[in-house]
Amino acid sequence: MNIGAAARASGVSERMIRHYEMIGLIPPAARRDSGYRDYSDADVHRLHFIANARDLGFGIEEIGSLLALWSDRNRASGEVKALAMARAEELGRKARALEDMRRTLLDLARECAGGERPDCPILDRLED
């Protein structure tokens, strides 16, 4: 199938498919006589795997590791679990940081009268 069909089937944009090919997450696509890329069902399956990993917050290097583990039938599932646990911990740190920012903004908004006066603790805090 051509790159457009592979993009629709996998949920990965054509631009990202080209990028993943360029950085080696997917092997170079076969080429038709016309020079157009020709993707197989296995390529689409791999792209879908990558998209799912991205949706879970894995970075490119981690996805490369996951792909290697995915294709290695002799892998230890503990390696996969360790990657997932590390990603979950990092997401937890980010979630806590976001919640701290949210609380700060809500506190500042409560302190702001929001009327016609120019006094604004939000801007004062950003200035500090």
Side-chain angles (χ1 to χ4, degrees):
M1 71 188 78
N2 67 26
I3 194 167
R8 285 187 297 281
S10 67
V12 176
S13 72
E14 292 178 29
R15 183 178 64 80
M16 290 308 296
I17 292 173
R18 288 185 195 97
H19 176 69
Y20 293 153
E21 188 175 322
M22 184 181 73
I23 64 172
L25 277 185
I26 62 171
R31 296 286 181 154
R32 298 178 183 173
D33 290 338
S34 63
Y36 289 108
R37 290 174 170 88
D38 192 19
Y39 294 92
S40 67
D41 289 338
D43 294 325
V44 170
H45 192 63
R46 187 176 183 96
L47 287 165
H48 197 262
F49 181 98
I50 293 168
N52 287 337
R54 292 291 293 181
D55 287 347
L56 289 173
F58 286 102
I60 295 297
E61 287 184 26
E62 293 167 314
I63 292 172
S65 297
L66 287 167
L67 285 166
L69 290 166
W70 183 46
S71 62
D72 178 5
R73 294 294 171 207
N74 295 316
R75 69 181 172 263
S77 63
E79 291 179 68
V80 181
K81 182 177 180 175
L83 283 169
M85 294 302 293
R87 174 58 33 212
E89 181 59 35
E90 178 62 25
L91 290 172
R93 281 192 292 275
K94 287 181 179 182
R96 288 187 294 278
L98 286 170
E99 184 56 31
D100 288 346
M101 287 187 280
R102 180 181 170 278
R103 269 194 306 271
T104 299
L105 286 169
L106 289 172
D107 290 344
L108 289 169
R110 276 190 285 276
E111 293 175 19
C112 181
E116 298 295 321
R117 297 184 56 209
D119 303 2
C120 183
I122 299 168
L123 294 177
D124 294 341
R125 172 70 185 269
L126 292 173
E127 181 182 11
D128 288 341

